[in-house]
Amino acid sequence: MKKLEQLYEGKAKKVFKTDNADHYLIEYKDDATAFNGEKRGSIEDKGVVNNLMSAKMFQLLENEGVESHLVELLNDREMLVKAVEIIQVEVIVRNVATGSMVRRLGIEDGITLEPTVLEYCLKSDAFGDPIINDYHIAAMKLATEDEMKQIRDMAFKINEFMKETFIKLDLKLIDFKLEFGRFKGKIILADEISPDTCRFWEVGTNRKMDKDRFRQDLGNVKATYQEVLKKVQTL
Ligand code: UDP
């Protein structure tokens, strides 16, 4: 496999072409942003944690029948993935109210959501990832109704598996963001699953074990990312 020219650079990852048209190479960076790019910084070795943790989560999900873009973990910072066309919708699953949901709706922070809440946001830095619904998605031709049904079913299945998995590690899965892509006519899970894209609260103490430590300047950011990875590596 040859790493060829860079296709795209996002806030946390770079995507490269490879000599196989079906595969891209993703390189995870240490750069961290929050609040739609307003807060910028870096978390030492975050790229390593997010790459290794995402690969592990994709492997576990594959065993549960959820296909992802992971082809192969290459090294600490790089993975080989299927060359998907990313659907421009961020899918957010919320088990407990916090973050933007609390700010937007005035709902009490930390309240369990029954049923679990699914939200969609348009993937657009220029517009600050605004919330959209199934009608916007259809009218903007972001995805078909059938694709959205598959995405919804996968998101709930992933949530059930991840809730059960993380509770065994003494981590409560509060909320997380998923992205999906099209690959050879199928919808598959893409992007990453990491402390950047999920919120975890430690069972018993409610200590925040995710990017909120960076967003809210809570300290011990690097150590907490490492701690989450260590737990995931026991799975
Ligand atoms: N999230 C993400 N990328 C985004 C927006 C949200 O990974 O661009 C994740 C975030 O880490 C959290 C969940 O999605 O686990 C819900 O985020 P929320 O809308 O509360 O984000 P906030 O605006 O509070 O950062």
Side-chain angles (χ1 to χ4, degrees):
M1 192 272 303
K2 271 205 201 95
K3 182 174 178 180
L4 300 178
E5 78 265 25
Q6 185 177 307
L7 263 180
Y8 170 82
E9 176 162 6
K11 293 189 288 259
K13 303 189 276 297
K14 292 178 182 175
V15 182
F16 296 85
K17 277 191 173 178
T18 70
D19 52 354
N20 180 339
D22 282 342
H23 293 164
Y24 291 153
L25 183 151
I26 297 184
E27 185 187 309
Y28 283 71
K29 307 190 289 180
D30 287 347
D31 300 351
T33 60
F35 310 117
N36 200 28
E38 262 172 58
K39 183 180 167 88
R40 281 164 195 279
S42 124
I43 301 166
E44 196 189 343
D45 287 339
K46 173 176 83 87
V48 176
V49 170
N50 290 3
N51 181 44
L52 298 180
M53 174 164 169
S54 293
K56 180 80 192 188
M57 294 312 301
F58 290 144
Q59 284 158 0
L60 294 172
L61 283 164
E62 204 88 39
N63 298 339
E64 300 295 311
V66 177
E67 186 176 349
S68 80
H69 68 164
L70 178 72
V71 174
E72 184 187 356
L73 179 66
L74 295 172
N75 54 53
D76 273 2
R77 283 190 185 267
E78 296 174 325
M79 59 168 67
L80 194 64
V81 300
K82 294 167 190 160
V84 302
E85 178 197 354
I86 290 283
I87 292 175
Q88 299 298 308
V89 176
E90 297 191 342
V91 177
I92 294 175
V93 181
R94 298 182 183 273
N95 296 306
V96 172
T98 196
S100 70
M101 186 179 194
V102 167
R103 292 195 297 275
R104 234 165 39 83
L105 304 177
I107 188 168
E108 192 184 330
D109 201 305
I111 280 225
T112 299
L113 297 166
E114 204 78 77
T116 295
V117 172
L118 197 65
E119 275 173 12
Y120 304 126
C121 295
L122 178 67
K123 242 177 96 67
S124 163
D125 286 337
F127 290 93
D129 295 347
I131 285 214
I132 52 175
N133 64 30
D134 287 290
Y135 290 90
H136 299 96
I137 293 169
M140 292 173 77
K141 311 263 183 282
L142 300 174
T144 67
E145 230 172 88
D146 179 59
E147 286 174 332
M148 288 314 294
K149 184 183 172 341
Q150 292 180 54
I151 285 174
R152 223 170 13 246
D153 291 348
M154 287 169 86
F156 282 119
K157 183 169 179 179
I158 293 165
N159 185 43
E160 286 312 309
F161 173 73
M162 290 207 340
K163 269 198 300 188
E164 277 171 29
T165 302
F166 285 107
I167 208 75
K168 291 182 205 148
L169 305 176
D170 273 339
L171 295 175
K172 193 166 174 196
L173 179 64
I174 303 303
D175 59 26
F176 58 98
K177 186 259 302 184
L178 299 172
E179 293 184 26
F180 294 87
R182 298 183 186 98
F183 184 73
K184 298 185 187 279
K186 267 197 284 186
I187 294 288
I188 65 176
L189 178 62
D191 196 48
E192 65 179 277
I193 298 180
S194 73
D196 269 11
T197 63
C198 305
R199 285 191 173 102
F200 305 110
W201 293 357
E202 187 180 51
V203 172
T205 64
N206 277 351
R207 177 162 65 112
K208 294 182 186 193
M209 305 286 288
D210 53 62
K211 196 169 147 188
D212 274 350
R213 302 207 73 82
F214 169 78
R215 290 188 188 98
Q216 300 171 17
D217 294 316
L218 298 176
N220 291 321
V221 187
K222 177 187 176 184
T224 307
Y225 273 69
Q226 298 289 339
E227 205 180 326
V228 172
L229 174 64
K230 235 181 169 177
K231 282 174 178 281
V232 167
Q233 283 177 329
T234 66
L235 291 168

